[in-house]
Short mmCIF file of all heavy atoms in Angstrom, two decimals:
data_model
loop_
_atom_site.label_atom_id
_atom_site.label_comp_id
_atom_site.label_asym_id
_atom_site.label_seq_id
_atom_site.Cartn_x
_atom_site.Cartn_y
_atom_site.Cartn_z
N MET A 278 61.87 91.21 106.67
CA MET A 278 62.55 92.18 105.86
C MET A 278 64.06 92.05 106.11
O MET A 278 64.52 92.11 107.24
CB MET A 278 62.07 93.57 106.23
CG MET A 278 62.63 94.65 105.35
SD MET A 278 61.81 96.22 105.61
CE MET A 278 62.97 96.99 106.70
N THR A 279 64.80 91.85 105.07
CA THR A 279 66.24 91.71 105.21
C THR A 279 66.90 93.08 105.14
O THR A 279 66.52 93.93 104.36
CB THR A 279 66.82 90.80 104.12
OG1 THR A 279 66.49 91.33 102.85
CG2 THR A 279 66.27 89.40 104.24
N GLY A 280 67.89 93.24 105.98
CA GLY A 280 68.60 94.51 106.03
C GLY A 280 70.08 94.31 105.75
O GLY A 280 70.53 93.22 105.38
N TYR A 281 70.81 95.37 105.95
CA TYR A 281 72.24 95.37 105.68
C TYR A 281 72.98 94.29 106.49
O TYR A 281 73.80 93.55 105.96
CB TYR A 281 72.80 96.76 105.99
CG TYR A 281 74.30 96.86 105.94
CD1 TYR A 281 74.96 96.88 104.73
CD2 TYR A 281 75.04 96.94 107.11
CE1 TYR A 281 76.34 96.97 104.68
CE2 TYR A 281 76.41 97.04 107.07
CZ TYR A 281 77.06 97.06 105.85
OH TYR A 281 78.41 97.13 105.80
N TYR A 282 72.66 94.20 107.77
CA TYR A 282 73.37 93.26 108.62
C TYR A 282 73.00 91.81 108.31
O TYR A 282 73.80 90.91 108.52
CB TYR A 282 73.14 93.59 110.09
CG TYR A 282 73.75 94.93 110.43
CD1 TYR A 282 72.96 96.07 110.56
CD2 TYR A 282 75.12 95.06 110.54
CE1 TYR A 282 73.53 97.29 110.82
CE2 TYR A 282 75.70 96.28 110.80
CZ TYR A 282 74.91 97.39 110.94
OH TYR A 282 75.48 98.61 111.18
N ASP A 283 71.81 91.57 107.81
CA ASP A 283 71.45 90.23 107.36
C ASP A 283 72.31 89.81 106.17
O ASP A 283 72.76 88.68 106.09
CB ASP A 283 69.97 90.16 107.00
CG ASP A 283 69.07 90.42 108.19
OD1 ASP A 283 69.41 89.95 109.30
OD2 ASP A 283 68.03 91.10 108.01
N TYR A 284 72.53 90.74 105.26
CA TYR A 284 73.38 90.44 104.11
C TYR A 284 74.83 90.20 104.55
O TYR A 284 75.50 89.30 104.04
CB TYR A 284 73.33 91.57 103.09
CG TYR A 284 72.00 91.68 102.38
CD1 TYR A 284 71.28 92.86 102.41
CD2 TYR A 284 71.47 90.59 101.69
CE1 TYR A 284 70.05 92.95 101.76
CE2 TYR A 284 70.25 90.68 101.05
CZ TYR A 284 69.55 91.86 101.08
OH TYR A 284 68.35 91.95 100.45
N ILE A 285 75.30 91.00 105.48
CA ILE A 285 76.67 90.82 105.97
C ILE A 285 76.82 89.45 106.62
O ILE A 285 77.80 88.74 106.39
CB ILE A 285 77.05 91.94 106.97
CG1 ILE A 285 77.19 93.28 106.25
CG2 ILE A 285 78.33 91.61 107.71
CD1 ILE A 285 78.33 93.33 105.26
N LEU A 286 75.84 89.06 107.44
CA LEU A 286 75.92 87.75 108.10
C LEU A 286 75.88 86.62 107.09
O LEU A 286 76.42 85.54 107.34
CB LEU A 286 74.78 87.61 109.12
CG LEU A 286 74.95 88.42 110.39
CD1 LEU A 286 73.70 88.31 111.26
CD2 LEU A 286 76.18 87.98 111.16
N GLY A 287 75.24 86.81 105.96
CA GLY A 287 75.25 85.81 104.91
C GLY A 287 76.53 85.82 104.09
O GLY A 287 76.99 84.78 103.61
N LEU A 288 77.10 87.00 103.91
CA LEU A 288 78.30 87.11 103.08
C LEU A 288 79.57 86.61 103.77
O LEU A 288 80.51 86.20 103.10
CB LEU A 288 78.51 88.57 102.66
CG LEU A 288 77.60 89.06 101.54
CD1 LEU A 288 77.82 90.56 101.32
CD2 LEU A 288 77.86 88.31 100.26
N ILE A 289 79.61 86.64 105.08
CA ILE A 289 80.83 86.21 105.79
C ILE A 289 81.14 84.74 105.52
O ILE A 289 82.23 84.42 105.06
CB ILE A 289 80.74 86.54 107.29
CG1 ILE A 289 80.79 88.05 107.49
CG2 ILE A 289 81.85 85.85 108.07
CD1 ILE A 289 80.48 88.50 108.90
N PRO A 290 80.21 83.80 105.75
CA PRO A 290 80.55 82.40 105.43
C PRO A 290 80.68 82.17 103.93
O PRO A 290 81.47 81.33 103.49
CB PRO A 290 79.41 81.59 106.03
CG PRO A 290 78.32 82.53 106.29
CD PRO A 290 78.93 83.89 106.43
N LEU A 291 79.91 82.92 103.14
CA LEU A 291 80.02 82.78 101.69
C LEU A 291 81.41 83.19 101.22
O LEU A 291 82.00 82.54 100.35
CB LEU A 291 78.94 83.62 101.00
CG LEU A 291 78.89 83.52 99.48
CD1 LEU A 291 78.45 82.12 99.07
CD2 LEU A 291 77.92 84.55 98.93
N ALA A 292 81.95 84.25 101.80
CA ALA A 292 83.30 84.70 101.45
C ALA A 292 84.33 83.66 101.89
O ALA A 292 85.25 83.34 101.14
CB ALA A 292 83.60 86.05 102.09
N LEU A 293 84.17 83.15 103.10
CA LEU A 293 85.13 82.16 103.59
C LEU A 293 85.14 80.91 102.72
O LEU A 293 86.20 80.44 102.31
CB LEU A 293 84.81 81.78 105.03
CG LEU A 293 85.21 82.79 106.10
CD1 LEU A 293 84.63 82.39 107.44
CD2 LEU A 293 86.71 82.88 106.19
N LEU A 294 83.97 80.38 102.43
CA LEU A 294 83.91 79.14 101.66
C LEU A 294 84.09 79.37 100.16
O LEU A 294 84.84 78.64 99.50
CB LEU A 294 82.58 78.44 101.92
CG LEU A 294 82.35 77.99 103.37
CD1 LEU A 294 80.93 77.46 103.54
CD2 LEU A 294 83.37 76.97 103.79
N GLY A 295 83.42 80.37 99.64
CA GLY A 295 83.46 80.61 98.20
C GLY A 295 84.82 81.06 97.69
O GLY A 295 85.32 80.56 96.69
N ILE A 296 85.42 82.00 98.38
CA ILE A 296 86.71 82.51 97.94
C ILE A 296 87.79 81.45 98.15
O ILE A 296 88.66 81.26 97.30
CB ILE A 296 87.06 83.83 98.65
CG1 ILE A 296 86.07 84.92 98.21
CG2 ILE A 296 88.48 84.26 98.37
CD1 ILE A 296 86.20 86.22 98.96
N THR A 297 87.70 80.72 99.27
CA THR A 297 88.67 79.64 99.49
C THR A 297 88.56 78.59 98.39
O THR A 297 89.57 78.15 97.83
CB THR A 297 88.44 78.98 100.86
OG1 THR A 297 88.62 79.97 101.88
CG2 THR A 297 89.41 77.84 101.09
N GLY A 298 87.35 78.19 98.08
CA GLY A 298 87.16 77.19 97.02
C GLY A 298 87.61 77.68 95.66
O GLY A 298 88.26 76.96 94.90
N THR A 299 87.27 78.92 95.35
CA THR A 299 87.65 79.49 94.05
C THR A 299 89.17 79.60 93.92
O THR A 299 89.74 79.25 92.88
CB THR A 299 87.01 80.87 93.87
OG1 THR A 299 85.60 80.75 94.00
CG2 THR A 299 87.36 81.46 92.53
N LEU A 300 89.83 80.07 94.95
CA LEU A 300 91.28 80.20 94.90
C LEU A 300 91.98 78.83 94.87
O LEU A 300 93.02 78.68 94.22
CB LEU A 300 91.79 81.03 96.08
CG LEU A 300 91.41 82.50 96.07
CD1 LEU A 300 91.86 83.19 97.36
CD2 LEU A 300 91.99 83.21 94.86
N THR A 301 91.40 77.86 95.55
CA THR A 301 91.98 76.51 95.53
C THR A 301 91.84 75.90 94.14
O THR A 301 92.79 75.28 93.63
CB THR A 301 91.30 75.62 96.58
OG1 THR A 301 91.44 76.25 97.86
CG2 THR A 301 91.94 74.25 96.64
N VAL A 302 90.68 76.06 93.52
CA VAL A 302 90.49 75.55 92.16
C VAL A 302 91.38 76.30 91.18
O VAL A 302 91.87 75.71 90.20
CB VAL A 302 88.99 75.66 91.76
CG1 VAL A 302 88.77 75.38 90.29
CG2 VAL A 302 88.16 74.71 92.61
N ALA A 303 91.63 77.57 91.44
CA ALA A 303 92.49 78.37 90.56
C ALA A 303 93.96 77.98 90.67
O ALA A 303 94.76 78.41 89.85
CB ALA A 303 92.31 79.85 90.86
N GLY A 304 94.32 77.19 91.68
CA GLY A 304 95.68 76.71 91.76
C GLY A 304 96.46 77.12 92.99
O GLY A 304 97.60 76.69 93.16
N LEU A 305 95.89 77.94 93.85
CA LEU A 305 96.60 78.31 95.07
C LEU A 305 96.48 77.19 96.09
O LEU A 305 95.52 76.42 96.08
CB LEU A 305 96.02 79.59 95.67
CG LEU A 305 96.65 80.90 95.21
CD1 LEU A 305 96.18 81.24 93.82
CD2 LEU A 305 96.32 81.99 96.16
N GLN A 306 97.45 77.12 96.96
CA GLN A 306 97.39 76.13 98.02
C GLN A 306 96.34 76.55 99.04
O GLN A 306 96.03 77.73 99.21
CB GLN A 306 98.74 75.99 98.70
CG GLN A 306 99.79 75.36 97.83
CD GLN A 306 101.10 75.21 98.60
OE1 GLN A 306 101.27 75.75 99.68
NE2 GLN A 306 102.01 74.45 98.02
N LEU A 307 95.82 75.55 99.74
CA LEU A 307 94.80 75.81 100.75
C LEU A 307 95.32 76.72 101.85
O LEU A 307 94.58 77.57 102.37
CB LEU A 307 94.29 74.49 101.33
CG LEU A 307 93.08 74.55 102.24
CD1 LEU A 307 91.87 75.07 101.47
CD2 LEU A 307 92.78 73.20 102.84
N THR A 308 96.58 76.56 102.20
CA THR A 308 97.16 77.39 103.26
C THR A 308 97.32 78.85 102.85
O THR A 308 97.53 79.72 103.69
CB THR A 308 98.53 76.83 103.70
OG1 THR A 308 99.39 76.76 102.56
CG2 THR A 308 98.38 75.46 104.32
N THR A 309 97.23 79.13 101.57
CA THR A 309 97.25 80.51 101.08
C THR A 309 95.83 81.03 100.86
O THR A 309 95.54 82.20 101.14
CB THR A 309 98.03 80.60 99.76
OG1 THR A 309 99.33 80.07 99.96
CG2 THR A 309 98.13 82.03 99.27
N ALA A 310 94.95 80.16 100.40
CA ALA A 310 93.59 80.58 100.06
C ALA A 310 92.76 80.91 101.30
O ALA A 310 91.97 81.87 101.28
CB ALA A 310 92.90 79.49 99.25
N VAL A 311 92.93 80.15 102.37
CA VAL A 311 92.12 80.39 103.57
C VAL A 311 92.42 81.75 104.19
O VAL A 311 91.48 82.50 104.51
CB VAL A 311 92.30 79.23 104.59
CG1 VAL A 311 91.66 79.58 105.92
CG2 VAL A 311 91.70 77.95 104.04
N PRO A 312 93.67 82.14 104.39
CA PRO A 312 93.91 83.49 104.95
C PRO A 312 93.42 84.62 104.05
O PRO A 312 92.98 85.67 104.54
CB PRO A 312 95.43 83.56 105.13
CG PRO A 312 95.87 82.15 105.21
CD PRO A 312 94.93 81.39 104.34
N MET A 313 93.49 84.41 102.75
CA MET A 313 92.98 85.47 101.85
C MET A 313 91.47 85.60 101.98
O MET A 313 90.94 86.72 102.03
CB MET A 313 93.39 85.15 100.41
CG MET A 313 94.89 85.25 100.20
SD MET A 313 95.39 84.77 98.55
CE MET A 313 94.94 86.23 97.64
N ALA A 314 90.76 84.49 102.05
CA ALA A 314 89.31 84.54 102.23
C ALA A 314 88.95 85.09 103.60
O ALA A 314 87.98 85.84 103.74
CB ALA A 314 88.72 83.14 102.04
N ALA A 315 89.73 84.74 104.61
CA ALA A 315 89.48 85.26 105.95
C ALA A 315 89.70 86.77 106.00
O ALA A 315 89.02 87.48 106.74
CB ALA A 315 90.37 84.56 106.96
N GLY A 316 90.64 87.26 105.21
CA GLY A 316 90.85 88.71 105.13
C GLY A 316 89.64 89.43 104.56
O GLY A 316 89.26 90.50 105.03
N VAL A 317 89.03 88.84 103.53
CA VAL A 317 87.82 89.43 102.96
C VAL A 317 86.68 89.41 103.99
O VAL A 317 85.95 90.40 104.15
CB VAL A 317 87.41 88.70 101.66
CG1 VAL A 317 86.07 89.19 101.16
CG2 VAL A 317 88.48 88.89 100.60
N ALA A 318 86.54 88.30 104.72
CA ALA A 318 85.51 88.22 105.75
C ALA A 318 85.77 89.23 106.86
O ALA A 318 84.83 89.85 107.38
CB ALA A 318 85.45 86.81 106.32
N ALA A 319 87.03 89.44 107.20
CA ALA A 319 87.37 90.44 108.21
C ALA A 319 87.06 91.85 107.71
O ALA A 319 86.60 92.70 108.49
CB ALA A 319 88.84 90.33 108.59
N LEU A 320 87.29 92.12 106.44
CA LEU A 320 86.94 93.43 105.88
C LEU A 320 85.43 93.65 105.90
O LEU A 320 84.98 94.77 106.19
CB LEU A 320 87.48 93.55 104.46
CG LEU A 320 88.99 93.72 104.33
CD1 LEU A 320 89.40 93.68 102.86
CD2 LEU A 320 89.44 95.02 104.97
N LEU A 321 84.67 92.62 105.60
CA LEU A 321 83.21 92.75 105.67
C LEU A 321 82.76 93.06 107.10
O LEU A 321 81.91 93.92 107.33
CB LEU A 321 82.54 91.46 105.19
CG LEU A 321 82.55 91.18 103.70
CD1 LEU A 321 82.09 89.75 103.43
CD2 LEU A 321 81.69 92.17 102.97
N THR A 322 83.34 92.36 108.06
CA THR A 322 83.00 92.59 109.46
C THR A 322 83.41 93.99 109.89
O THR A 322 82.66 94.69 110.58
CB THR A 322 83.68 91.54 110.35
OG1 THR A 322 83.32 90.24 109.89
CG2 THR A 322 83.28 91.69 111.79
N GLY A 323 84.60 94.41 109.49
CA GLY A 323 85.06 95.76 109.84
C GLY A 323 84.19 96.84 109.24
O GLY A 323 83.90 97.85 109.87
N HIS A 324 83.73 96.61 108.02
CA HIS A 324 82.84 97.59 107.39
C HIS A 324 81.52 97.67 108.14
O HIS A 324 80.99 98.77 108.37
CB HIS A 324 82.60 97.22 105.92
CG HIS A 324 81.86 98.27 105.17
ND1 HIS A 324 80.48 98.34 105.14
CD2 HIS A 324 82.30 99.31 104.42
CE1 HIS A 324 80.11 99.36 104.41
NE2 HIS A 324 81.20 99.97 103.96
N ALA A 325 81.01 96.52 108.53
CA ALA A 325 79.73 96.51 109.25
C ALA A 325 79.85 97.14 110.62
O ALA A 325 78.90 97.75 111.11
CB ALA A 325 79.22 95.08 109.38
N LEU A 326 81.01 97.03 111.26
CA LEU A 326 81.16 97.57 112.61
C LEU A 326 81.55 99.04 112.63
O LEU A 326 81.05 99.81 113.45
CB LEU A 326 82.22 96.77 113.37
CG LEU A 326 81.81 95.39 113.84
CD1 LEU A 326 83.01 94.67 114.43
CD2 LEU A 326 80.71 95.50 114.86
N PHE A 327 82.47 99.42 111.74
CA PHE A 327 83.06 100.75 111.87
C PHE A 327 82.63 101.75 110.80
O PHE A 327 82.49 102.93 111.09
CB PHE A 327 84.59 100.64 111.87
CG PHE A 327 85.08 99.78 113.00
CD1 PHE A 327 85.70 98.57 112.75
CD2 PHE A 327 84.91 100.17 114.31
CE1 PHE A 327 86.15 97.77 113.79
CE2 PHE A 327 85.36 99.38 115.36
CZ PHE A 327 85.98 98.18 115.09
N VAL A 328 82.42 101.31 109.57
CA VAL A 328 82.05 102.23 108.51
C VAL A 328 80.54 102.45 108.52
O VAL A 328 80.06 103.58 108.50
CB VAL A 328 82.52 101.72 107.14
CG1 VAL A 328 82.05 102.63 106.03
CG2 VAL A 328 84.03 101.59 107.12
N ASN A 329 79.80 101.38 108.55
CA ASN A 329 78.34 101.45 108.57
C ASN A 329 77.85 100.84 109.87
O ASN A 329 77.09 99.89 109.87
CB ASN A 329 77.77 100.73 107.35
CG ASN A 329 76.32 101.02 107.13
OD1 ASN A 329 75.77 101.92 107.74
ND2 ASN A 329 75.68 100.25 106.28
N GLY A 330 78.31 101.37 110.98
CA GLY A 330 78.04 100.80 112.29
C GLY A 330 76.58 100.91 112.69
O GLY A 330 75.82 101.71 112.15
N PRO A 331 76.21 100.06 113.63
CA PRO A 331 74.83 100.14 114.12
C PRO A 331 74.60 101.47 114.81
O PRO A 331 75.47 101.97 115.53
CB PRO A 331 74.74 98.97 115.10
CG PRO A 331 76.12 98.52 115.37
CD PRO A 331 76.98 99.02 114.27
N SER A 332 73.47 102.05 114.57
CA SER A 332 73.19 103.37 115.14
C SER A 332 72.38 103.21 116.41
O SER A 332 71.57 102.29 116.56
CB SER A 332 72.43 104.23 114.15
OG SER A 332 71.21 103.61 113.81
N SER A 333 72.61 104.10 117.32
CA SER A 333 71.83 104.09 118.55
C SER A 333 70.52 104.84 118.29
O SER A 333 70.45 105.69 117.40
CB SER A 333 72.62 104.75 119.68
OG SER A 333 72.90 106.08 119.34
N PRO A 334 69.50 104.55 119.05
CA PRO A 334 68.23 105.26 118.84
C PRO A 334 68.39 106.75 119.12
O PRO A 334 69.21 107.16 119.92
CB PRO A 334 67.27 104.61 119.83
CG PRO A 334 68.08 103.76 120.73
CD PRO A 334 69.42 103.58 120.12
N SER A 335 67.60 107.52 118.43
CA SER A 335 67.64 108.96 118.63
C SER A 335 67.16 109.29 120.05
O SER A 335 66.42 108.52 120.65
CB SER A 335 66.77 109.67 117.60
OG SER A 335 65.42 109.28 117.78
N PRO A 336 67.55 110.43 120.59
CA PRO A 336 67.16 110.76 121.97
C PRO A 336 65.65 110.76 122.18
O PRO A 336 65.19 110.38 123.24
CB PRO A 336 67.75 112.15 122.19
CG PRO A 336 68.89 112.23 121.24
CD PRO A 336 68.48 111.40 120.05
N SER A 337 64.88 111.17 121.19
CA SER A 337 63.43 111.19 121.38
C SER A 337 62.88 109.78 121.48
O SER A 337 61.99 109.50 122.27
CB SER A 337 62.76 111.94 120.23
OG SER A 337 63.01 111.27 119.00
N ARG A 338 63.41 108.84 120.69
CA ARG A 338 62.96 107.45 120.77
C ARG A 338 63.47 106.80 122.04
O ARG A 338 62.82 105.94 122.61
CB ARG A 338 63.45 106.66 119.56
CG ARG A 338 62.77 107.11 118.27
CD ARG A 338 63.19 106.27 117.12
NE ARG A 338 62.60 104.93 117.29
CZ ARG A 338 63.03 103.85 116.66
NH1 ARG A 338 64.04 103.93 115.84
NH2 ARG A 338 62.46 102.69 116.85
N LEU A 339 64.63 107.22 122.51
CA LEU A 339 65.19 106.67 123.73
C LEU A 339 64.32 107.06 124.93
O LEU A 339 64.09 106.27 125.83
CB LEU A 339 66.62 107.16 123.91
CG LEU A 339 67.42 106.56 125.06
CD1 LEU A 339 67.56 105.05 124.87
CD2 LEU A 339 68.78 107.19 125.13
N ASP A 340 63.82 108.30 124.92
CA ASP A 340 62.99 108.76 126.03
C ASP A 340 61.65 108.04 126.06
O ASP A 340 61.07 107.86 127.13
CB ASP A 340 62.76 110.26 125.93
CG ASP A 340 64.03 111.06 126.23
OD1 ASP A 340 64.93 110.48 126.87
OD2 ASP A 340 64.12 112.22 125.81
N GLU A 341 61.15 107.62 124.92
CA GLU A 341 59.87 106.92 124.87
C GLU A 341 59.96 105.57 125.57
O GLU A 341 59.02 105.14 126.22
CB GLU A 341 59.43 106.72 123.43
CG GLU A 341 59.07 107.99 122.70
CD GLU A 341 58.80 107.73 121.23
OE1 GLU A 341 58.80 106.56 120.81
OE2 GLU A 341 58.59 108.71 120.50
N HIS A 342 61.09 104.90 125.42
CA HIS A 342 61.23 103.55 125.95
C HIS A 342 61.82 103.52 127.35
O HIS A 342 61.71 102.53 128.03
CB HIS A 342 62.11 102.70 125.01
CG HIS A 342 61.51 102.56 123.65
ND1 HIS A 342 60.36 101.84 123.43
CD2 HIS A 342 61.88 103.04 122.45
CE1 HIS A 342 60.06 101.87 122.15
NE2 HIS A 342 60.97 102.61 121.53
N ALA A 343 62.43 104.60 127.76
CA ALA A 343 63.05 104.63 129.08
C ALA A 343 62.02 104.97 130.13
O ALA A 343 60.99 105.58 129.86
CB ALA A 343 64.18 105.65 129.10
N GLY A 344 62.32 104.57 131.33
CA GLY A 344 61.45 104.91 132.45
C GLY A 344 61.69 106.34 132.87
O GLY A 344 62.28 107.13 132.14
N PRO A 345 61.27 106.67 134.07
CA PRO A 345 61.49 108.04 134.53
C PRO A 345 62.98 108.32 134.68
O PRO A 345 63.76 107.45 135.03
CB PRO A 345 60.79 108.09 135.89
CG PRO A 345 60.63 106.67 136.30
CD PRO A 345 60.57 105.85 135.04
N ASN A 346 63.35 109.53 134.38
CA ASN A 346 64.75 109.93 134.48
C ASN A 346 65.17 110.03 135.93
O ASN A 346 64.34 110.21 136.83
CB ASN A 346 64.98 111.28 133.79
CG ASN A 346 64.78 111.18 132.30
OD1 ASN A 346 64.94 110.12 131.72
ND2 ASN A 346 64.43 112.29 131.68
N ALA A 347 66.45 109.95 136.16
CA ALA A 347 66.96 110.07 137.52
C ALA A 347 66.66 111.46 138.09
O ALA A 347 66.45 111.61 139.29
CB ALA A 347 68.45 109.79 137.54
N ALA A 348 66.62 112.45 137.23
CA ALA A 348 66.33 113.81 137.69
C ALA A 348 64.88 113.95 138.12
O ALA A 348 64.55 114.75 138.98
CB ALA A 348 66.65 114.82 136.60
N ASP A 349 63.99 113.15 137.52
CA ASP A 349 62.57 113.22 137.86
C ASP A 349 62.23 112.40 139.11
O ASP A 349 61.19 112.61 139.72
CB ASP A 349 61.72 112.71 136.69
CG ASP A 349 61.88 113.59 135.46
OD1 ASP A 349 62.27 114.77 135.62
OD2 ASP A 349 61.62 113.10 134.35
N ALA A 350 63.08 111.46 139.46
CA ALA A 350 62.80 110.60 140.60
C ALA A 350 62.97 111.38 141.90
O ALA A 350 63.80 112.27 142.00
CB ALA A 350 63.75 109.40 140.58
N PRO A 351 62.17 111.04 142.91
CA PRO A 351 62.33 111.74 144.19
C PRO A 351 63.68 111.38 144.80
O PRO A 351 64.16 110.27 144.66
CB PRO A 351 61.17 111.22 145.04
CG PRO A 351 60.76 109.95 144.40
CD PRO A 351 61.10 110.07 142.94
N SER A 352 64.27 112.35 145.49
CA SER A 352 65.58 112.11 146.09
C SER A 352 65.41 111.19 147.32
O SER A 352 64.46 111.34 148.07
CB SER A 352 66.23 113.42 146.49
OG SER A 352 65.44 114.07 147.44
N PRO A 353 66.31 110.25 147.47
CA PRO A 353 66.20 109.36 148.63
C PRO A 353 66.50 110.11 149.92
O PRO A 353 67.27 111.07 149.95
CB PRO A 353 67.24 108.29 148.35
CG PRO A 353 68.23 108.94 147.45
CD PRO A 353 67.45 109.93 146.64
N SER A 354 65.90 109.66 150.98
CA SER A 354 66.16 110.32 152.25
C SER A 354 67.56 109.90 152.73
O SER A 354 68.03 108.81 152.45
CB SER A 354 65.11 109.93 153.28
OG SER A 354 65.16 108.52 153.47
N VAL A 355 68.18 110.79 153.44
CA VAL A 355 69.54 110.53 153.91
C VAL A 355 69.43 109.72 155.20
O VAL A 355 68.71 110.09 156.13
CB VAL A 355 70.29 111.85 154.16
CG1 VAL A 355 71.67 111.58 154.73
CG2 VAL A 355 70.37 112.65 152.90
N LEU A 356 70.14 108.61 155.24
CA LEU A 356 70.16 107.78 156.43
C LEU A 356 71.41 108.10 157.25
O LEU A 356 72.50 108.19 156.72
CB LEU A 356 70.15 106.30 156.06
CG LEU A 356 68.93 105.80 155.31
CD1 LEU A 356 69.11 104.37 154.93
CD2 LEU A 356 67.69 105.99 156.15
N ASP A 357 71.21 108.28 158.53
CA ASP A 357 72.35 108.56 159.41
C ASP A 357 72.68 107.28 160.14
O ASP A 357 71.84 106.70 160.84
CB ASP A 357 71.98 109.68 160.38
CG ASP A 357 73.19 110.21 161.12
OD1 ASP A 357 74.31 109.78 160.77
OD2 ASP A 357 73.00 111.00 162.04
N ALA A 358 73.91 106.83 160.01
CA ALA A 358 74.32 105.57 160.64
C ALA A 358 74.59 105.73 162.13
O ALA A 358 74.71 104.74 162.84
CB ALA A 358 75.56 105.02 159.96
N ASP A 359 74.67 106.94 162.61
CA ASP A 359 74.98 107.14 164.04
C ASP A 359 73.78 107.01 164.90
O ASP A 359 72.76 107.36 164.93
CB ASP A 359 75.66 108.49 164.26
CG ASP A 359 77.05 108.49 163.65
OD1 ASP A 359 77.67 107.43 163.63
OD2 ASP A 359 77.49 109.58 163.21
#
């Protein structure tokens, strides 16, 4: 099943290559087309990280996968070095 991040990972190289090629064919120099395409790829990455960022599991799901909590564990005995 493909998700949002799968599409983003596919769009990043497509933006770099496709936009660079399109702008070069349209008449821009390669040294201008590459930074413009890289800007689009950076915007895609920024959107994936900050606008629609990966979510952490809910606390109930986190408790299912975690082991015993530190509060539930027995307290260690105190060792005296003297």
Side-chain angles (χ1 to χ4, degrees):
M278 185 169 99
T279 57
Y281 172 74
Y282 295 103
D283 296 321
Y284 291 123
I285 291 295
L286 287 174
L288 284 174
I289 291 170
L291 183 67
L293 283 170
L294 297 173
I296 294 173
T297 299
T299 303
L300 291 175
T301 303
V302 169
L305 270 75
Q306 291 182 349
L307 189 63
T308 57
T309 304
V311 170
M313 293 176 78
V317 173
L320 288 174
L321 287 170
T322 305
H324 188 274
L326 286 174
F327 301 113
V328 176
N329 193 12
S332 60
S333 61
S335 63
S337 62
R338 292 184 70 198
L339 187 61
D340 290 340
E341 292 173 5
H342 298 292
N346 293 334
D349 296 337
S352 61
S354 61
V355 177
L356 297 176
D357 191 7
D359 291 328

